Amino acid sequence: MLAAMLAMLATLVPAGGGAAAASSSSSSSESLDDAEISRATADFYRTWPYPLSTRGEEATNESLAEGFDVLFDLGSTVQINHFAFGSRRNWKTGVFRVLVAGSGTGKAVESVIASLRHLGLHNYNVTCIDLSSTSLDILRRRLDLRSVLDERVRVEEKDLLSLDAADTGEFDYILCTGVLHHLNSPKRGLAQADEVGGSAADADDAPAAGG
């Protein structure tokens, strides 16, 4: 399995010796374009969905909030309100729209929904996008077992770079973890998230940005 993983990862490295060669080469043919990187990334995570989810975990019909830490878990409304809204968010006003870009098998999605429900907030929409159909199948099963896969949750096999504000509308909060480092240009990925982000976009390896 390790050999297969390394072989697939090698498709993400430009020909001729990796980063050093890529930085010294002037030939664009040695670099993969966005579509090629998306395909390679999708292939990898279809084979090895992430985060790892054990068979028992998927099959357990445990409470959504079981083991959830309202202060420190990824997706906690305490953290969202503090870092993205300066602790000024009024959760009772309007529909809170969340985009989880790179949702994977759904642990972050569970945290977001559990945190919103902990507040007694049911007026929300959560859109989950990922390149891996395998990961999204696991995500659907997890949410369905916990009885939270309803009309407020949208799950799509989609690329972050393909998001269009005219189609999606604006999101109040964007959670994008473990995604940007896969891209040719992480800054472009952040800019794409910012385009559909209304109040705040929070991404890994980059500062928070607001639309």
Side-chain angles (χ1 to χ4, degrees):
M1 180 178 289
L2 179 59
M5 291 176 68
L6 292 174
M8 188 169 289
L9 285 172
T11 66
L12 299 177
V13 179
S23 64
S24 62
S25 172
S26 59
S27 172
S28 60
S29 65
E30 291 188 355
S31 298
L32 299 177
D33 62 24
D34 291 335
E36 290 171 320
I37 288 178
S38 290
R39 283 194 295 271
T41 304
D43 286 345
F44 181 88
Y45 286 109
R46 273 194 292 267
T47 306
W48 293 284
Y50 184 85
L52 294 177
S53 183
T54 66
R55 183 178 179 85
E57 182 182 25
E58 292 169 27
T60 300
N61 191 15
E62 65 182 10
S63 167
L64 176 69
E66 186 172 327
F68 174 74
D69 190 318
V70 70
L71 290 177
F72 299 111
D73 268 20
L74 187 65
S76 162
T77 50
V78 174
Q79 292 196 34
I80 292 173
N81 198 11
H82 177 74
F83 290 108
F85 298 99
S87 299
R88 294 187 298 272
R89 172 74 192 184
N90 183 353
W91 298 103
K92 304 300 182 183
T93 303
V95 178
F96 189 63
R97 302 192 70 234
V98 178
L99 170 67
V100 184
S103 59
T105 58
K107 287 191 176 183
V109 179
E110 284 187 342
S111 291
V112 169
I113 295 175
S115 191
L116 291 171
R117 291 192 168 201
H118 178 81
L119 286 178
L121 182 67
H122 296 278
N123 200 19
Y124 62 80
N125 291 129
V126 178
T127 297
C128 315
I129 65 170
D130 201 277
L131 292 173
S132 167
S133 56
T134 308
S135 294
L136 293 177
D137 285 344
I138 294 172
L139 181 152
R140 291 186 185 95
R141 290 199 300 271
R142 290 169 66 114
L143 298 186
D144 188 46
L145 284 168
R146 288 152 179 79
S147 301
V148 293
L149 185 61
D150 54 29
E151 68 279 357
R152 293 169 295 184
V153 180
R154 184 177 178 183
V155 180
E156 295 185 82
E157 187 177 338
K158 182 175 287 189
D159 193 330
L160 169 64
L161 296 179
S162 71
L163 291 178
D164 183 352
D167 175 50
T168 66
E170 288 191 342
F171 294 95
D172 296 298
Y173 184 73
I174 299 174
L175 184 59
C176 180
T177 301
V179 174
L180 298 182
H181 64 277
H182 287 297
L183 306 178
N184 259 331
S185 170
K187 287 184 178 180
R188 183 184 167 200
L190 183 62
Q192 194 73 29
D194 191 46
E195 181 180 318
V196 297
S199 300
D202 184 23
D204 60 344
D205 305 322

